[in-house]
């Protein structure tokens, strides 16, 4: 994986392809490349640096043409070196880019070696290029149809052949691919954002589709080999969202966009109406007796937070599982369980696979919490709640996480109302708290100067421990994740009550202990845990609500939160943890928006 752009046009299209890659940089990548059909021959430029370096190569070599494909690669098979960068060629005839993983590539590679093909990369992608070359009989579209039958795994593919200079053929299975429709030109991409400015008309391919784009035509067949039509929609591709503006990094910009993103996500209704989740919600919610949340990474932590809300507000048993683990264990399906899947992109491979596995077990009631209305996840689920975080460029999620929390709180309150566990007065109180949330967040963002002072101390550390209790334990987990993602400081999070069961052995003067300290029912217990740290020489950095009576003194530094926010407190407390990670990474000089080894949209297992 990570990003694909392809085009067939009546103009030199190379600048569109390179700009498409630039728009996909936020997804994370190790190398990039572009290939054009030029004077009947495929030519390419590849780089293990940034897209800007690739752009310089393109200009210096006068690479251009009217048919081309481009790619940003996040390494899976083979190191991030030029020979492994896409596009991959086969005998200077076929040029191909690929997202995903081909699970049977070793067997295919041996078969192709036996046919005389020489492999120059360590990628699984090269087997696809050689396979297509070996099977080509004058019709690239038919060749792709035949070739994908031999591929096991996940893929989005775009390929061109020198004998068909005005054609690009694609296929998708388990990895997203969209077609952009223009006038006298057509496009393929892994994300509509890549084509912002070139077209706003898109069709979203389904699992198993094979597609051919030409100057004035788009031809699609489905997984059964039947001609298929995919609805062409006018979609705003968020072109303006990739502008940095006055901020140093996109992550900083997105942290400060959270009040607006939350405002846009909060329902405008004065009540928690079931219709917020879809037309059939009332029937679905009346038929369930439990919830299973499936998600990965930051989205998993939002699910863990939601478990507290769903069980305390809606009184409904809730489990939360890491999606990549769920599908590989034997579980006991309950047809009255609501499966909730959470993903920023709606294309997260492990979460999609877990959703399909749950459906195969007979789970018919499904709900997606997602930021992309056109995503595979939204199309696959019975119900959906769309967050309105807009495009999130930074790999480390911020506004996507807090808007997910808003969505999940609305789910808990809606179920609580339907199940008779919150009355009209409580409903009005929750609505009021949600409406005030953006203003409260602005007050938290005003703490940035104090957090910068802390970050200068953290930048000199190599380890950190995060503590929280109850509803705020998953917020501590999220804070530790943010710090390790972008500053490369090793960070762990624990429920504070677990200190004496092992983590206390790590506590020394060199180990900063970040503590989330809201004024809730567990505050006194948390204070005792903090004293355990102080007694062993640990230094505490505490985000404390104003009325906790926790003050700065020897061994404790305190940043005071503006107000206690009850059940919605986690949404406020995670923001200073985001800022701490961000400014610590700034002080260490890391690549904040594109941290090493990570990708924004995880479209492979």
């Amino acid at each position: 994986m990570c990003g694909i752009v392809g085009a067939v046009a009546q103009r030199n299209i190379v600048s569109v392809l390179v700009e498409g890659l630039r728009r996909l940089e936020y997804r994370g990548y190790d190398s990039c490349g572009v290939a054009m059909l030029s004077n009947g021959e495929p030519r390419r430029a590849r780089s293990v640096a940034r897209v800007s370096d690739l752009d310089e190569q393109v200009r210096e070599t006068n690479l251009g043409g009217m048919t081309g494909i481009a790619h940003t690669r996040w390494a899976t098979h083979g190191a991030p070196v030029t020979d492994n960068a896409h596009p991959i060629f086969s005998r200077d005839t076929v040029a191909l880019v690929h997202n995903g993983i081909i699970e049977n590539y070793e067997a295919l590679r041996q078969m192709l070696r036996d046919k005389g093909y020489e492999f120059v990369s360590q990628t699984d992608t090269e087997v696809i290029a050689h396979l297509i070359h070996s099977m080509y009989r004058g019709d690239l579209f038919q060749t792709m149809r035949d070739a994908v039958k031999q591929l096991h795994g996940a893929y989005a593919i775009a390929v061109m052949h020198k004998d068909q200079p005005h054609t690009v053929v694609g296929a998708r299975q388990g990895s997203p691919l969209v077609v952009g429709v223009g006038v006298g030109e057509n496009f393929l991409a892994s994300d509509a954002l890549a084509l912002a400015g070139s077209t706003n008309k898109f069709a979203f391919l389904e699992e198993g589709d094979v597609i051919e784009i030409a100057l004035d035509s788009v031809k699609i067949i489905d997984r059964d080999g039947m001609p298929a039509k995919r609805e062409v929609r006018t979609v705003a591709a968020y072109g303006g969202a990739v502008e940095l503006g006055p901020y140093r990094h996109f992550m900083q910009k997105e942290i400060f966009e959270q009040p607006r993103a939350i405002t846009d996500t909060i329902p405008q209704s004065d009540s928690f109406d079931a219709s917020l989740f879809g037309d059939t919600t009332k029937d679905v919610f009346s038929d369930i007796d439990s919830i299973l949340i499936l998600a990965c990474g930051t989205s998993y932590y939002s699910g863990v937070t939601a478990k507290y809300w769903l069980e305390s507000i809606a009184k409904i048993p809730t489990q939360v599982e890491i999606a990549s683990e769920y599908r590989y264990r034997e579980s006991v399906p309950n047809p009255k369980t609501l499966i909730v899947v959470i993903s920023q992109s709606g294309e997260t491979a492990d979460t999609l696979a877990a959703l399909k596995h749950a459906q195969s077990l007979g789970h018919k009631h499904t709900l997606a919490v997602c930021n992309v209305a056109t995503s595979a996840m939204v199309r696959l689920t019975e119900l959906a709640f769309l967050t309105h975080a807009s495009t999130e460029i930074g790999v480390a999620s911020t506004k996507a996480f807090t808007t997910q929390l808003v969505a999940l709180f609305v789910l808990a309150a809606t179920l609580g109302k339907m199940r008779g566990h919150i009355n009209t007065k409580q409903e009005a109180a929750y609505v009021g708290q949600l409406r005030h949330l953006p203003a409260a967040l602005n007050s938290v963002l005003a703490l940035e100067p104090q957090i910068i002072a802390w970050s200068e101390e953290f930048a000199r550390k190599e380890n950190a421990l995060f503590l929280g209790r109850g509803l705020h334990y998953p917020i501590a987990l999220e804070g530790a994740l943010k710090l390790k993602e972008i500053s490369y400081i090793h960070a762990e999070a624990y429920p504070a009550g677990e200190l004496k069961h092992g983590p206390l052995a790590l506590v020394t003067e060199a180990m900063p202990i970040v503590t989330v300290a809201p004024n809730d029912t567990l505050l006194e217990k948390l204070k005792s845990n903090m004293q355990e740290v102080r007694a062993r020489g640990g230094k505490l950095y505490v985000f404390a609500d104003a009325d906790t009576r926790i003050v700065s003194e020897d061994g404790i530094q305190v940043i005071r939160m503006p107000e206690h926010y009850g059940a919605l407190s986690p949404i406020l407390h995670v923001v200073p943890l985001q800022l701490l990670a961000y400014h610590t990474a700034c002080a260490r000089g890391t690549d904040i928006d594109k941290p090493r080894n990570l990708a924004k949209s995880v479209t492979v297992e």
Side-chain angles (χ1 to χ4, degrees), residues 542-562:
V542 186
F543 292 102
D545 284 350
D547 45 4
T548 56
R549 298 186 300 281
I550 300 172
V551 297
S552 295
E553 53 186 313
D554 184 42
I556 299 181
Q557 293 191 44
V558 177
I559 291 179
R560 200 157 305 288
M561 299 287 285

Side-chain angles (χ1 to χ4, degrees), residues 78-359:
V81 297
T82 303
D83 282 346
N84 292 331
H86 299 200
I88 298 289
F89 280 10
S90 178
R91 297 187 177 177
D92 293 325
T93 299
V94 170
L96 182 142
V97 294
H98 160 234
N99 288 349
I101 291 177
I102 305 303
E103 295 173 355
N104 62 330
Y105 82 100
E106 291 175 321
L108 290 172
R109 184 169 57 185
Q110 187 57 54
M111 180 266 288
L112 290 160
R113 277 179 171 159
D114 292 343
K115 289 184 176 183
Y117 285 89
E118 180 181 351
F119 284 77
V120 296
S121 78
Q122 289 77 52
T123 67
D124 54 336
T125 300
E126 193 172 2
V127 302
I128 314 174
H130 290 325
L131 181 65
I132 287 174
H133 182 275
S134 72
M135 298 175 69
Y136 183 74
R137 299 295 182 270
D139 185 338
L140 188 58
F141 184 61
Q142 182 62 49
T143 301
M144 178 70 88
R145 292 175 62 180
D146 295 335
V148 295
K149 295 174 184 176
Q150 299 189 46
L151 304 179
H152 301 161
Y155 52 79
I157 301 167
V159 61
M160 57 189 188
H161 193 289
K162 74 173 188 176
D163 292 345
Q164 294 182 237
H166 303 295
T167 301
V168 172
V169 171
R172 73 150 295 193
Q173 178 68 45
S175 196
L177 196 63
V178 304
V179 55
V181 179
V183 177
E185 58 188 23
N186 290 300
F187 309 88
L188 286 178
S190 51
D191 189 323
L193 176 64
L195 302 176
S198 295
T199 182
N200 63 353
K201 297 184 183 301
F202 298 95
F204 296 85
L205 300 185
E206 301 291 341
E207 293 285 273
D209 281 355
V210 176
I211 180 170
E212 176 188 276
I213 61 169
L215 290 172
D216 295 305
S217 65
V218 173
K219 181 167 62 175
I220 303 172
I221 61 160
D222 64 20
R223 67 191 322 154
D224 298 319
M226 301 300 294
K229 288 189 177 182
R230 302 297 179 221
E231 179 187 357
V232 177
R233 311 177 193 177
T234 300
V235 178
Y238 318 116
V242 297
E243 302 301 328
L244 187 57
Y247 297 95
R248 291 177 63 187
H249 300 90
F250 283 107
M251 183 178 179
Q252 184 187 30
K253 175 177 182 272
E254 288 152 10
I255 289 171
F256 278 84
E257 285 176 341
Q258 287 177 112
R260 168 52 59 187
I262 285 173
T263 297
D264 292 342
T265 299
I266 294 169
Q268 296 304 303
S269 171
D270 289 330
S271 63
F272 297 106
D273 191 272
S275 63
L276 293 168
F277 298 87
D279 293 339
T280 63
T281 304
K282 191 168 291 187
D283 291 338
V284 172
F285 284 5
S286 297
D287 192 44
I288 62 171
D289 61 12
S290 60
I291 290 177
L292 172 60
I293 298 174
L294 303 171
C296 297
T298 286
S299 295
Y300 171 74
Y301 295 146
S302 71
V304 177
T305 308
K307 174 182 170 72
Y308 288 89
W309 288 331
L310 287 161
E311 295 198 337
S312 65
I313 296 172
K315 312 297 183 187
I316 187 166
T318 302
Q319 289 181 278
V320 190
E321 294 207 36
I322 295 172
S324 58
E325 292 293 317
Y326 166 72
R327 61 187 288 229
Y328 292 114
R329 71 173 184 84
E330 290 190 19
S331 57
V332 181
N334 171 11
K336 289 188 175 295
T337 294
L338 175 66
I339 304 295
V340 178
V341 285
I342 311 170
S343 168
Q344 183 272 330
S345 67
E347 304 288 352
T348 307
D350 286 318
T351 310
L352 279 172
L355 169 62
K356 293 172 185 175
H357 177 66
Q359 290 171 327

Side-chain angles (χ1 to χ4, degrees), residues 470-509:
L471 185 60
H472 293 78
Y473 165 52
I475 299 308
L477 286 166
E478 173 63 9
L481 177 62
K482 285 293 153 286
L483 189 67
K484 71 182 78 170
E485 279 182 309
I486 61 170
S487 74
Y488 313 147
I489 293 171
H490 171 245
E492 294 187 63
Y494 281 90
E498 283 292 289
L499 269 174
K500 61 180 71 69
H501 297 286
L504 207 54
L506 297 172
V507 173
T508 68
E509 292 182 0

Side-chain angles (χ1 to χ4, degrees), residues 384-495:
F385 188 102
L386 293 174
T387 57
H388 293 279
S390 188
T391 302
E392 189 177 63
I393 302 297
V395 167
S397 181
T398 52
K399 61 179 180 175
F401 177 71
T402 49
T403 53
Q404 286 171 356
L405 290 179
V406 168
L408 292 164
F409 183 83
V410 171
L411 173 63
T414 302
L415 281 166
K417 177 183 176 182
M418 284 190 63
R419 294 164 66 87
H421 298 298
I422 64 172
N423 57 32
T424 302
K425 183 179 179 181
Q426 184 63 71
E427 179 182 21
Y430 284 152
V431 169
Q433 285 184 304
L434 281 171
R435 295 279 170 79
H436 180 61
L437 193 55
L441 275 174
N442 279 319
S443 297
V444 175
L445 290 168
L447 299 173
E448 186 179 33
Q450 298 175 59
I451 295 169
I452 291 173
W454 279 12
S455 71
E456 293 167 357
E457 297 180 38
F458 270 74
R460 298 189 293 270
K461 307 295 184 180
E462 294 301 327
N463 301 281
L465 193 62
F466 286 67
L467 301 178
R469 296 207 70 155
L471 185 60
H472 293 78
Y473 165 52
I475 299 308
L477 286 166
E478 173 63 9
L481 177 62
K482 285 293 153 286
L483 189 67
K484 71 182 78 170
E485 279 182 309
I486 61 170
S487 74
Y488 313 147
I489 293 171
H490 171 245
E492 294 187 63
Y494 281 90

